Amino acid sequence: MIGKRLRNRCQALVEAVDVSQPFTARSLCGILAEQRGRRLYVHPLPRDMNDEGTPCGVWLATDVADHIFFEEHTSPFHQEHIIMHELAHMICGHTIADLPAELDARILDDTADPQEIQQILLRTSYSTDQEQEAELVATLLLEKSARLGNKPGNAQELRLSSALGIKQ
């Protein structure tokens, strides 16, 4: 169950975010890139990263840019939510103390040198406080956007929004 303190903190963070229309994860990428004064790139996860335990979303920060990786083989609505979740980590100011011992070279590819990486957050579950906070912020951002009239585009997204209780 979500505590009142966590919900209030997340709600305050979301209220500070401009969800001008049309609001999408990509438009939020532009806003955050400008606020952070650095480029923000969005990439699909490499195709060979589909084994169990592989994250469906990753935020990788270097000293000059941010990179978000998302699961490509899912619905557009889910892709949007994954990207929004990773952006929520930025909004919340999340960090990790140490990089994982083995940083998967398939993610890095030619994107960044492991020595330059400031932090990497891998999303595989929602068990940590940071993951729960990021998930709540992502959900609240999407709800706020929907309340202000930004409607999902296709029938599948409309059904999913309805199932999640987002009024159209």
Side-chain angles (χ1 to χ4, degrees), residues 83-142:
I83 295 167
M84 195 71 70
H85 175 98
E86 299 308 323
L87 294 171
H89 280 300
M90 290 181 201
I91 292 167
C92 294
H94 292 163
T95 60
I96 56 173
D98 297 306
L99 294 176
E102 295 181 17
L103 191 58
D104 196 319
R106 294 175 296 177
I107 293 176
L108 292 178
D109 196 13
D110 294 326
T111 306
D113 181 337
Q115 301 303 319
E116 295 176 350
I117 297 173
Q118 293 177 339
Q119 66 187 20
I120 187 169
L121 291 173
L122 304 167
R123 175 182 170 195
T124 56
S125 71
Y126 304 105
S127 59
T128 69
D129 291 342
Q130 285 189 0
E131 290 302 319
Q132 290 174 2
E133 186 175 52
E135 188 63 14
L136 181 54
V137 166
T139 299
L140 291 172
L141 281 167
L142 291 168

Side-chain angles (χ1 to χ4, degrees), residues 77 143 146-147 158-168:
F77 186 88
E143 286 177 356
R147 279 193 317 271
L158 290 169
R159 284 192 306 276
L160 186 53
S161 293
S162 177
L164 292 172
I166 299 172
K167 303 288 184 209
Q168 298 298 319

Side-chain angles (χ1 to χ4, degrees), residues 148-161:
L148 295 176
N150 192 23
K151 298 179 182 179
N154 65 39
Q156 180 182 13
E157 292 170 354
L158 290 169
R159 284 192 306 276
L160 186 53
S161 293

